[in-house]
Amino acid sequence: MKAPHQLLTHSPLKACLIFLLSALYMNPLFAIPKDANVDEAKVPKFTLPDPLTMTDGTPVTSSHQWSARRRGEILDLFKEHVYGRSPDGLPAGLSHQVTQTIPNFLDGKATLKEIRVLFNGKKDGPKMHILLILPNHTKKPAPAFLGLNFSGNHSIHPDSRITLSKSWMRPKKDGSVIDHKATEKARGASSSRWPVETIIDRGYALATIYYGDIDPDFDDDFKNGVQPLFYREGQKKPAANEWGSIGAWSWGLSRALDYLESDPTIDAKKVSVLGHSRLGKTSLWAGAQDQRFAIVISNDSGCGGAALSRRRFGEKVKRINTSFPHWFNDRFNQYNDNENALPIDQHQLISLIAPRPVYIASASEDLWADPTGEFLSGKYAEPVYALFGKKGLGCDQPPAVDHPVGDFIRYHRRSGKHDLTAYDWAQYLDFADRHLIKNK
Ligand code: GCU
């Protein structure tokens, strides 16, 4: 599918249409089609694949067996059938440079750093810009939250010293993006999703990257973004079992973690990867593949994220593959209206994070993302956590709104819409305190 801006050329009437199409494309409430099921009574009966039975039928009874054999088996199935295989090595020449340091950010509370990662070492090649904000009041290397953002690093805070992104952006009718480029108006536009000062006050660093730096979010048959860096001779696009955009964004998160490991101001063993919506799908896939992430947080990730595909509730596999054909690998199309044939389901994605702490969050009005299906993924991942002696959700039914539950698998259903809010962050900060910071 083409992104809305590609469907039409310009005229005032067409501009209006572009806005409407963009709203449809972006807003999950608008996007709930009439044929989508949001009635619990109409959820079909299904049987989930058992995380603790090997493909050859052998039962998994120990954490050793899980780590040595079963984990790899499940990871491989997700690569082959859902997100695609990401390349193993790094592109030749990959390098990073610190491009700006501001020691008195947030009235002196924080230091801001900008880091440019040149994926093939070339300035005119694909690159990402990491915005890193560090607390000044802590003495030790800081634990950190790392997450991709939707609208550019400049959108997370209004301070005009943050470099305005020059990357391709989706059109916005409020003047914050013109001709696919961010304008000054975009500064701080997403600040409600990024409570920077609170994060800093709590002693954490925040690292964020515009997701479109890694792979612009429209279907161009993978001509831009990082994929072409890895094409074999004569290859023009990823093969049917190779990575799509979610794979690429996740890969970018791991490259950001590589940088954080090299930065002495960061405690890279205490990095929580977090994402909202499509970027929540991405944080789960990043955390499943890269076990260096200490905590994994999925905010309203829905279909292809934490929600069980077999429930066919809200957004379904066919719908997501049709609307966003570039997010998953081509093989995932085999499961359009055919979810029961999937060799895995999304509870096994959660199980790949074990024994590390995982937080799954839903919003009560976000039926498109199937809050109950998101809860159940956590629930059915519990036996894997139990192998490691770790407690999961500790309840069988989704909790009341605004009542988080669970220990190593934690879950809440915030009241309200599809969004990343101060309430969500308050839970994530407490969760990180409990699991990463001793004596709390
Ligand atoms: C759409 C899409 C969802 C996705 C969301 C987002 O609503 O259908 O799967 O999570 O966009 O990323 O904003």
Side-chain angles (χ1 to χ4, degrees):
M1 178 181 144
K2 300 228 180 297
H5 75 279
Q6 295 178 303
L7 299 173
L8 303 158
T9 50
H10 278 283
S11 83
L13 187 71
K14 284 177 177 174
C16 205
L17 219 64
I18 287 175
F19 164 64
L20 276 174
L21 280 167
S22 300
L24 276 169
Y25 197 73
M26 292 299 289
N27 184 331
L29 284 179
F30 270 84
I32 292 191
K34 286 205 179 68
D35 63 344
N37 177 41
V38 288
D39 179 354
E40 197 58 39
K42 293 192 179 136
V43 170
K45 284 213 164 68
F46 57 83
T47 308
L48 289 175
D50 181 1
L52 295 186
T53 304
M54 299 282 304
T55 307
D56 68 5
T58 312
V60 177
T61 52
S62 71
S63 58
H64 173 76
Q65 215 183 347
W66 168 265
S67 303
R69 291 185 59 204
R70 181 60 171 153
R71 184 180 191 282
E73 209 174 62
I74 295 177
L75 187 62
D76 222 55
L77 291 170
F78 275 106
K79 289 181 181 173
E80 199 58 32
H81 297 268
V82 183
Y83 304 102
R85 293 185 181 279
S86 304
D88 289 329
L90 298 178
L94 187 145
S95 67
H96 65 250
Q97 298 97 36
V98 176
T99 52
Q100 168 164 237
T101 305
I102 301 173
N104 63 346
F105 192 63
L106 298 182
D107 294 328
K109 275 188 183 181
T111 297
L112 175 148
K113 269 194 201 176
E114 291 183 330
I115 302 101
R116 183 173 58 197
V117 180
L118 302 174
F119 289 126
N120 60 355
K122 296 186 184 145
K123 279 199 181 146
D124 59 353
K127 53 180 132 354
M128 69 177 181
H129 304 271
I130 306 174
L131 172 64
L132 177 60
I133 305 174
L134 297 145
N136 283 344
H137 68 279
T138 53
K139 303 267 171 300
K140 290 196 282 193
F145 286 91
L146 167 65
L148 300 176
N149 65 70
F150 278 91
S151 306
N153 295 344
H154 56 265
S155 70
I156 75 148
H157 192 276
D159 192 307
S160 60
R161 293 172 296 179
I162 299 177
T163 303
L164 195 71
S165 172
K166 296 188 181 64
S167 301
W168 180 94
M169 303 259 162
R170 200 171 283 291
K172 295 235 171 81
K173 56 127 200 180
D174 60 4
S176 62
V177 176
I178 295 178
D179 292 337
H180 304 295
K181 296 281 177 220
T183 68
E184 287 293 323
K185 228 181 149 184
R187 293 193 175 281
S190 311
S191 54
S192 68
R193 288 187 173 174
W194 300 94
V196 178
E197 205 152 339
T198 310
I199 297 167
I200 293 298
D201 287 346
R202 295 279 291 260
Y204 290 87
L206 173 67
T208 187
I209 302 145
Y210 170 53
Y211 79 135
D213 280 1
I214 305 161
D215 188 16
D217 189 4
F218 61 91
D219 182 20
D220 73 334
D221 238 8
F222 302 107
K223 292 193 178 52
N224 57 24
V226 291
Q227 286 94 346
L229 293 178
F230 295 92
Y231 290 163
R232 295 173 293 276
E233 219 179 301
Q235 188 178 9
K236 298 227 160 41
K237 55 182 280 195
N241 67 345
E242 290 181 327
W243 57 345
S245 293
I246 292 177
W249 300 327
S250 307
W251 180 88
L253 285 167
S254 287
R255 301 297 68 80
L257 184 53
D258 296 344
Y259 168 74
L260 295 177
E261 282 186 329
S262 76
D263 188 325
T265 62
I266 294 291
D267 184 346
K269 296 220 168 343
K270 295 184 177 167
V271 175
S272 304
V273 63
L274 152 147
H276 169 61
S277 208
R278 71 199 66 183
L279 301 179
K281 310 180 206 302
T282 303
S283 64
L284 287 173
W285 183 228
Q289 292 180 97
D290 190 337
Q291 297 189 74
R292 294 176 299 167
F293 288 114
I295 286 183
V296 182
I297 302 168
S298 139
N299 194 83
D300 304 358
S301 60
C303 181
L308 290 174
S309 301
R310 280 168 174 77
R311 277 172 50 82
R312 297 168 57 86
F313 186 105
E315 187 173 29
K316 292 189 296 196
V317 170
K318 181 176 181 186
R319 175 71 192 199
I320 204 166
N321 278 333
T322 309
S323 309
F324 307 100
H326 55 294
W327 284 3
F328 301 89
N329 72 3
D330 271 359
R331 285 195 75 178
F332 195 41
N333 285 303
Q334 294 173 6
Y335 306 102
N336 292 347
D337 286 335
N338 190 24
E339 291 84 350
N340 288 326
L342 273 163
I344 37 72
D345 209 318
Q346 299 305 109
H347 62 306
Q348 285 159 296
L349 182 65
I350 307 300
S351 75
L352 291 175
I353 296 159
R356 293 163 294 155
V358 59
Y359 203 123
I360 303 169
S362 308
S364 62
E365 292 170 33
D366 187 17
L367 298 184
W368 187 236
D370 186 11
T372 302
E374 294 180 316
F375 169 84
L376 289 174
S377 266
K379 180 78 215 146
Y380 295 124
E382 278 182 335
V384 179
Y385 278 77
L387 282 184
F388 292 88
K390 306 283 186 203
K391 286 200 188 112
L393 295 167
C395 58
D396 293 334
Q397 297 299 322
V401 289
D402 302 332
H403 279 82
V405 289
D407 191 355
F408 276 75
I409 305 172
R410 197 158 171 84
Y411 174 85
H412 72 245
R413 194 156 49 105
R414 170 182 48 75
S415 49
K417 293 192 174 36
H418 185 73
D419 199 0
L420 173 57
T421 70
Y423 176 89
D424 298 317
W425 271 101
Q427 313 316 312
Y428 305 151
L429 284 158
D430 287 350
F431 190 59
D433 276 0
R434 192 146 54 79
H435 288 288
L436 299 181
I437 315 291
K438 290 208 168 69
N439 307 322
K440 280 218 181 181

